[in-house]
Amino acid sequence: MTISLRAFMGWMAASAACVLMGCSPGDQPGVPAKPKKLVVAMDATYPPFEVVDEKGEFFGVSVDLGRELGKSLGREVEFRNINFDGLIAALKSGSVDCIISSMSANDERRKSIDFSDPYVKTGLAILAAAKSPVQSLEDLKAPGRRVAVRLGTTGEQYARQYLPDASLVVLDSDTACVMEVVKAGVDAWIYDQLSLMNYHNRHPEATRVLLQPLREEVWAIGIQQGNTELKTKANEFLAKFRAEGGFGRLGDKYLAKEKAVMSEMGIPFVFDLKPGEVGKN
């Protein structure tokens, strides 16, 4: 196949224009490039917030939230399933755009990443073995207590800071932690209220759940430090989503039972943030 000089020169001009504008030679000058995918990282082992089914499909509160964020940005969303203790490293490396994975926004994590405004307020609580003497935080402080914590979580951070006499059993999954409680290999597990409520419901004979929070925490979207554009747009999205009843719909869809239990116990529902608690970051 031959090509005329005029066609060749036209191709060269188009290629040069693409280089100047940052597009590939196959793109057309003057035509907006398709927005990059929004890559969202999560540890999809935490129902009903982030889970992968047997077909490899992501679903849950965080997944719906991620899709709505992508829609507001005009970007297709890709979810990446990463173990919780590797999420921040993935964000810092630039291999993902943000973390939506029931992650508590705290000062320790803020040393290495930024956070959006909070969208959930919850608390660390206790799942105790049925025959354990643990009835409160003070009981956990007794020397010789065995306490399960999940690696990389605020439960682990809390236990290391406030339970110096406890023997910590550090595990890398929810399943491993709850099974230690069920078989009474530990006295208790420190984790968030919603998770412990769900695990107690699955093992009502072997566990007891103590829901009064040891410490209140907020969850937020993790964002790479310096990415002020995404942080601003994420905050705008969260404010609009809340104002339009989006979190109410997520609660009804995924957490209706938990909402009823927390209401009966006089504990605020996790999406019911006060005006002063929204926009902390």
Side-chain angles (χ1 to χ4, degrees), residues 19-226:
V19 170
L20 290 172
M21 292 188 296
C23 60
S24 67
D27 294 328
Q28 296 182 17
V31 178
K34 184 178 180 181
K36 288 172 53 181
K37 288 183 178 180
L38 180 72
V39 183
V40 177
M42 58 178 54
D43 180 354
T45 60
Y46 178 38
F49 279 85
E50 47 265 352
V51 192
V52 173
D53 65 19
E54 62 276 2
K55 296 180 180 178
E57 298 293 327
F58 288 81
F59 69 95
V61 174
S62 300
V63 177
D64 285 11
L65 192 64
R67 290 192 175 119
E68 291 296 325
L69 173 61
K71 190 185 302 181
S72 77
L73 298 173
R75 296 168 66 178
E76 185 181 348
V77 178
E78 176 186 334
F79 295 103
R80 299 249 181 104
N81 192 4
I82 299 171
N83 201 53
F84 196 85
D85 60 338
L87 289 172
I88 288 177
L91 182 62
K92 290 173 66 177
S93 75
S95 62
V96 302
D97 294 305
C98 63
I99 300 168
I100 307 180
S101 192
S102 307
M103 178 173 280
S104 299
N106 60 28
D107 291 340
E108 183 63 30
R109 289 174 177 149
R110 286 192 183 95
K111 293 176 183 178
S112 56
I113 66 172
D114 285 342
F115 285 99
S116 71
D117 293 336
Y119 59 88
V120 159
K121 180 180 177 182
T122 185
L124 291 177
I126 299 170
L127 185 72
K131 296 182 179 180
S132 168
V134 171
Q135 299 289 339
S136 67
L137 173 60
E138 291 305 311
D139 293 332
L140 279 183
K141 293 179 179 179
R145 293 282 186 252
R146 287 176 58 80
V147 179
V149 293
R150 183 170 176 184
L151 180 67
T153 64
T154 53
E156 180 190 9
Q157 295 170 5
Y158 181 92
R160 292 193 184 283
Q161 183 174 359
Y162 295 106
L163 303 177
D165 295 324
S167 175
L168 299 188
V169 179
V170 183
L171 302 164
D172 64 0
S173 72
D174 283 14
T175 301
C177 290
V178 72
M179 291 315 298
E180 280 297 313
V181 178
V182 168
K183 69 181 185 182
V186 295
D187 290 292
W189 174 25
I190 298 177
Y191 209 41
D192 71 273
Q193 292 166 316
L194 286 176
S195 293
L196 299 189
M197 197 183 309
N198 285 327
Y199 287 123
H200 168 65
N201 289 337
R202 295 183 199 178
H203 306 279
E205 302 300 323
T207 67
R208 291 179 291 108
V209 63
L210 310 175
L211 287 179
Q212 288 301 323
L214 308 181
R215 178 177 70 193
E216 290 186 333
E217 300 181 338
V218 293
W219 295 352
I221 300 171
I223 298 168
Q224 195 173 43
Q225 283 186 341

